[in-house]
Amino acid sequence: MCGSCVKLAVKIEAAHSEQLTRMELLADDLKDTRFAPDEAIFVIEGAQVEFLMTRARDALEQVSLIPLSLHAYAAARTYDHPRIEKYHELIDFAACERDYHDDVLGLSSNWLQQLGLDFWVEGIDLAELDAPAQFLFFLHAKHIARVVKNVVAGRPDIKTFYAIVGGTMLPLDYYFDSDVTAAIARHICESFGRRFVCIIAPERPRHILPSMPPGPAETSMAVPVLPPAASSRVGFAPATVRNAEQLRRALHESGHEVVLFPSKVWGMPPLGAALESEREFEVFLSSSEVPSSADYARDLGKLRDQIMERRARSLLPGCIVDNPYLQFQFDHIVTRRWLGYANLIRRAVDFVKATPLDLFIHCQHFTAEGAILARLYERKGTRIMATQHSGWPVDPNWLSPRHARHALAWTRSSMRRIQEYDRNATVYVTGAPDLTTFRDATSPLLHDRVSKVRQEVGGRKIVLLLTNALELHCIPFTDLGRHFETLSELAAIPAEYAESVVVLIRAKPAPVGEDPILYEKLSGFDPGSHTGLSSLDFSECLDVADCIVGVNVPTTGYFEALERSVPLIHVQTCAALSLHPDLPPEAIVKITDVKKLWQAIGAALFDSEHRSGLLQRQLAFLHSDRKPTFGDAPDPLRGAIDRVLTRRARFDPLRLFRRNSLRRAAPEVPSAPVPDIATLPVAQTVAAGHIDRLLVSSDDRTVIVEGWAVAQNLGAPARRIHAFASGVWRGARNVSIERTDIVAVFDDPRLLRSGFALYFRLDGPFKLEHIAVYSELPDGTFFQLTLPAMSELRAK
């Protein structure tokens, strides 16, 4: 054989070897593939298990399923697959704990500096800004690498490993699905000399889909220009703020103009009313291209190349920096996400220059809009205030890169924890937040659901197991093995209570929460334990409980439990990663010896003296912990905001009380006198409209009506929407929300701003038949909108 032929043969053999070690299997070919007992499939989330089982269940009988998350493990157990690795036995929780609190926290902030690199835009370090996202990526990568190493080392009988990946690789961004897990598993397997096959799914199955609506179309290159402020102007980035509507309402009631900054990534929280046309503005700072984007893109492309060239200097683990299959993730971080940050910063700089604010409020939980605007406005001397994501401060890794000088806290225990992380911040306690929830008033409702559950348990006392999320994107929050062993003790009701007590489970809802089937499979709970409360919302679950037990991963729901005067017991048998309420012993029964659990439950349920004393201590703690900073003010939240805005002046509660009392007493009225429903002039023009949604608060006192209204022959949207209850006028809002669908229906661009969202309060319980909604047309006449039908009202 000639030399060239030999070279060609070697080349062909090398190519064939490469194909064998890096083989790909198309998802469409799954059903024709016969998997062998010496093969295994890594499943990353439950959606992948469902995908496999619905396409090729018979072909998978002999293959091992190796779950890489608790969610995937639950799905595999649901399908009763015969060969499943026990996920919770693969986890090194002590290593997770070290990574979470120490190693990864530092790496996420300085990994780029280790390479002698940085990238600044308008004085903002993009790597530092993006630290919360890097924390999740690095933590996830290290955890998955450890689990896969444990599997590969412990299963020498497995010759080939498979994993599902997308046709286009999906990077890891915050809470969403990604192909990072498969890339790490592939790198680890090949480093051990084991064959790895990618199952290519063009339409990749997803576990967590983005739930937020997309932001406004990114077409305008112009920075919004607002008119001069008529009063004090406050900016508010409401994304991830749980009580965003309460804060927004407080700003309006204090007479401030409000500039809302929605987030395209995190979405705008559902707010109870449409924009106030004269006192409220919505500014969307797009991350799409700006005139300097070409420069940013070029420079970030160079930075990406420099990172690859210098990665040997990095202290990041090899599963990240030496992994060729993670190139797509670094490309995404540097050339896409950071480019978006750069564009957003450039837009924000122009807006901040043109629009001074007296105060800017954003969530302590990282969002790009909040972090960037806080930095830029701080430089201008604007007061910056952080508000809470929930009832307890978020972990340090999720904080915005720079702390605010002022902060709002719901409780004093939360205030103390905030001050531990930022001793320079002034924290104001605002007391119990308004966390009103809404139900669809037109959906079928079960009759007296709480009473129905009580009837079903036959008069037995109900012990409510209140759980929180056990993992986030595969990262376990507690030692799962110990956790489910502890739950087994709760599931084993002692004989003396077998006829008088039942345990029901309220699991964290999907998609973040775990599948309740795990409590049955791993802890021995009866199936009825995790289905008995399926018809109830969280508030109703608390109402039905005679005693509440939480295990290992506390939740801010504990504060709501304390409000209900229900005995609360917390069990802590192993560590938890995330920052959660550490309530004092006088407020909560804390069990560390699981053998004493049922003794504590029995005392809380059947020892009246013990129960009474426990409830008194709980309520005393709650009252003390929620004592607001400005307790003499009519609204402590507004008191805190006013103090920050006028912090050089002496705070005068009496003056604030008089001013706010006058403002709160003034009714919300339209420009004309309050309309009388009996004498409304009937529309003579051709009018149309529709109520899209009718929402009612959990206390049956607040109503939100959303829809659209137009005057067709005038070619104009309606002017205002009015609500009446039992014939009494309850409020009005301008029709001003953009509705491109209505433009399309009527083929009339003049009808663009024809949408509305009307928020009003009732004096008594909600009854659909007492509600009437009218649109006020441009000619001064009124058109009644038809209410959706309600299947059944909840009995009171």
Side-chain angles (χ1 to χ4, degrees):
M1 185 182 291
C2 67
S4 59
C5 292
V6 170
K7 290 180 181 178
L8 180 60
V10 170
K11 218 172 190 181
I12 292 173
E13 185 176 346
H16 180 63
S17 175
E18 178 78 4
Q19 184 179 11
L20 287 176
T21 56
R22 298 190 178 183
M23 184 195 271
E24 294 180 350
L25 174 67
L26 296 179
D28 289 342
D29 297 331
L30 274 174
K31 60 181 181 298
D32 299 322
T33 302
R34 286 295 172 262
F35 293 94
D38 62 352
E39 296 182 318
I41 302 177
F42 288 114
V43 282
I44 298 163
E45 58 254 351
Q48 292 191 359
V49 176
E50 182 179 358
F51 175 80
L52 290 170
M53 292 301 173
T54 54
R55 284 182 172 240
R57 187 167 187 174
D58 292 340
L60 300 170
E61 283 293 322
Q62 298 188 72
V63 77
S64 293
L65 290 186
I66 304 175
L68 294 181
S69 70
L70 196 62
H71 192 270
Y73 184 42
R77 296 297 297 262
T78 300
Y79 279 96
D80 287 325
H81 187 74
R83 303 178 68 189
I84 310 169
E85 290 290 318
K86 295 180 180 179
Y87 168 68
H88 54 286
E89 295 181 356
L90 303 173
I91 296 171
D92 183 347
F93 182 73
C96 284
E97 197 171 14
R98 288 193 300 272
D99 287 342
Y100 193 89
H101 292 299
D102 300 315
D103 300 348
V104 175
L105 191 59
L107 289 172
S108 62
S109 300
N110 61 29
W111 71 277
L112 193 62
Q113 293 177 8
Q114 293 171 4
L115 306 180
L117 300 171
D118 56 29
F119 197 93
W120 295 73
V121 176
E122 299 290 341
I124 295 178
D125 182 347
L126 293 193
E128 181 196 13
L129 179 75
D130 201 36
Q134 302 321 309
F135 175 84
L136 178 61
F137 169 35
F138 298 154
L139 183 71
H140 175 82
K142 291 190 71 176
H143 169 66
I144 292 299
R146 274 194 304 268
V147 173
V148 173
K149 284 179 181 177
N150 288 341
V151 170
V152 174
R155 294 295 305 271
D157 56 307
I158 301 296
K159 306 303 181 187
T160 303
F161 292 92
Y162 295 81
I164 298 173
V165 298
T168 300
M169 301 298 277
L170 186 67
L172 189 153
D173 257 334
Y174 303 102
Y175 300 95
F176 305 142
D177 302 59
S178 75
D179 288 314
V180 165
T181 305
I184 293 167
R186 181 175 184 176
H187 174 72
I188 297 297
C189 287
E190 292 181 357
S191 69
F192 276 79
R194 309 290 271 278
R195 185 164 174 261
F196 190 94
V197 178
C198 292
I199 301 173
I200 308 297
E203 295 183 2
R204 182 188 183 282
R206 306 270 189 99
H207 162 42
I208 301 180
L209 291 173
S211 59
M212 293 79 69
E218 301 185 6
T219 55
S220 174
M221 298 297 293
V223 174
V225 178
L226 304 187
S231 61
S232 56
R233 181 173 279 175
V234 177
F236 179 29
T240 76
V241 177
R242 190 177 178 197
N243 65 329
E245 173 60 25
Q246 179 191 17
L247 210 157
R248 175 181 178 229
R249 196 163 61 241
L251 291 170
H252 283 303
E253 290 175 355
S254 292
H256 308 300
E257 289 187 1
V258 179
V259 183
L260 292 172
F261 297 96
S263 169
K264 183 177 181 182
V265 173
W266 296 99
M268 169 77 89
L271 300 177
L275 295 179
E276 295 276 0
S277 58
E278 296 179 356
R279 295 190 303 147
E280 192 166 50
F281 307 91
E282 189 177 63
V283 175
F284 177 75
L285 295 173
S286 168
S287 61
S288 62
E289 292 184 0
V290 293
S292 55
S293 285
D295 294 336
Y296 292 146
R298 183 189 64 248
D299 293 342
L300 286 168
K302 291 179 180 177
L303 177 65
R304 185 260 327 274
D305 295 339
Q306 289 174 323
I307 290 171
M308 293 299 104
E309 291 169 2
R310 302 187 188 187
R311 60 187 178 184
R313 304 184 193 179
S314 177
L315 297 180
L316 287 168
C319 66
I320 298 175
V321 293
D322 296 332
N323 187 345
Y325 307 118
L326 280 181
Q327 180 71 46
F328 76 97
Q329 175 70 15
F330 282 100
D331 286 347
H332 171 78
I333 292 169
V334 178
T335 64
R336 292 187 60 191
R337 191 161 71 219
W338 288 8
L339 179 60
Y341 288 158
N343 293 338
L344 185 62
I345 292 168
R346 184 60 261 169
R347 291 276 179 94
V349 164
D350 292 340
F351 181 82
V352 168
K353 286 179 180 177
T355 314
L357 296 176
D358 298 287
L359 172 67
F360 176 71
I361 303 173
H362 69 117
C363 188
Q364 60 168 193
H365 186 291
F366 174 79
T367 63
E369 289 81 1
I372 289 169
L373 287 167
R375 291 285 192 87
L376 298 178
Y377 271 113
E378 184 185 39
R379 292 180 199 164
K380 291 197 68 173
T382 302
R383 300 171 179 89
I384 308 297
M385 175 181 280
T387 189
Q388 289 187 262
H389 171 61
S390 63
W392 196 249
V394 297
D395 289 359
N397 40 65
W398 298 111
L399 292 174
S400 288
R402 183 174 298 177
H403 296 182
R405 305 247 177 157
H406 304 273
L408 299 174
W410 297 350
T411 64
R412 291 183 175 269
S413 52
S414 178
M415 173 191 72
R416 289 189 289 271
R417 186 56 66 93
I418 292 172
Q419 289 173 333
E420 286 180 19
Y421 291 109
D422 190 355
R423 296 189 179 278
N424 294 321
T426 303
V427 186
Y428 304 93
V429 180
T430 59
D434 177 4
L435 299 176
T436 303
T437 57
F438 290 85
R439 56 183 168 85
D440 186 346
T442 62
S443 65
L445 299 172
L446 297 175
H447 176 73
D448 201 355
R449 297 179 291 193
V450 171
S451 296
K452 184 177 180 181
V453 170
R454 287 203 169 274
Q455 291 171 5
E456 289 174 348
V457 301
R460 288 176 289 174
K461 298 287 187 181
I462 295 176
V463 175
L464 173 66
L465 172 58
L466 186 61
T467 72
N468 203 352
L470 296 180
E471 67 177 0
L472 175 63
H473 207 98
C474 306
I475 309 302
F477 280 156
T478 191
D479 184 332
L480 297 175
R482 291 281 304 280
H483 179 76
F484 285 106
E485 287 175 7
T486 302
L487 290 176
S488 299
E489 192 73 21
L490 182 61
I493 301 176
E496 61 194 285
Y497 300 130
E499 301 300 322
S500 57
V501 175
V502 62
V503 178
L504 300 180
I505 302 170
R506 164 68 184 191
K508 182 85 170 182
V512 177
E514 64 281 356
D515 192 320
I517 196 173
L518 290 171
Y519 300 103
E520 176 187 344
K521 299 290 188 180
L522 300 181
S523 300
F525 280 97
D526 183 271
S529 297
H530 60 79
T531 59
L533 300 177
S534 59
S535 65
L536 305 187
D537 60 25
F538 181 72
S539 177
E540 291 166 327
C541 287
L542 298 181
D543 287 338
V544 83
D546 296 296
C547 177
I548 295 173
V549 177
V551 180
N552 291 324
V553 187
T555 165
T556 53
Y558 277 7
F559 288 106
E560 296 176 61
L562 293 174
E563 289 178 341
R564 306 303 176 94
S565 290
V566 181
L568 178 60
I569 297 172
H570 175 62
V571 183
Q572 193 73 46
T573 56
C574 53
L577 292 186
S578 54
L579 181 65
H580 284 286
D582 185 14
L583 303 182
E586 65 270 16
I588 186 172
V589 177
K590 187 172 181 179
I591 302 293
T592 55
D593 182 356
V594 72
K595 298 301 180 184
K596 297 180 180 180
L597 174 57
W598 273 105
Q599 179 184 344
I601 293 174
L605 289 176
F606 301 111
D607 184 334
S608 58
E609 184 176 349
H610 174 81
R611 181 184 179 92
S612 176
L614 175 58
L615 293 179
Q616 288 179 15
R617 292 194 300 273
Q618 287 183 183
L619 290 176
F621 164 76
L622 193 65
H623 176 75
S624 172
D625 201 41
R626 285 185 167 172
K627 186 177 180 181
T629 303
F630 301 123
D632 296 331
D635 183 348
L637 178 56
R638 282 162 37 203
I641 294 171
D642 287 349
R643 162 56 71 88
V644 173
L645 284 168
T646 60
R647 67 182 188 274
R648 292 181 182 175
R650 186 177 66 85
F651 180 67
D652 183 355
L654 185 60
R655 177 184 60 80
L656 182 67
F657 178 84
R658 287 195 297 266
R659 188 183 73 186
N660 287 336
S661 295
L662 290 172
R663 183 176 289 116
R664 293 177 74 178
E668 179 187 17
V669 296
S671 54
V674 174
D676 182 348
I677 194 171
T679 60
L680 292 179
V682 179
Q684 302 300 314
T685 58
V686 179
H690 186 263
I691 294 176
D692 299 330
R693 286 206 308 170
L694 182 64
L695 303 176
V696 183
S697 63
S698 53
D699 65 356
D700 271 358
R701 291 297 196 275
T702 304
V703 182
I704 298 176
V705 183
E706 299 175 349
W708 58 272
V710 300
Q712 292 164 263
N713 62 348
L714 298 179
R719 181 184 299 164
R720 289 171 73 81
I721 296 294
H722 297 260
F724 297 83
S726 301
V728 179
W729 184 84
R730 302 304 305 176
R733 283 289 185 271
N734 288 344
V735 176
S736 60
I737 299 174
E738 293 187 1
R739 292 290 298 263
T740 55
D741 56 331
I742 304 306
V743 171
V745 167
F746 292 99
D747 193 23
D748 189 342
R750 295 175 297 176
L751 304 182
L752 177 62
R753 301 181 68 83
S754 59
F756 64 84
L758 171 62
Y759 174 108
F760 59 95
R761 292 282 292 173
L762 302 173
D763 292 329
F766 169 82
K767 292 185 178 179
L768 183 65
E769 61 269 26
H770 292 174
I771 304 298
V773 179
Y774 284 82
S775 62
E776 179 186 348
L777 304 179
D779 61 4
T781 60
F782 287 75
F783 172 75
Q784 185 171 7
L785 300 178
T786 303
L787 293 173
M790 175 183 279
S791 303
E792 184 180 349
L793 288 171
R794 180 171 64 186
K796 289 290 177 186

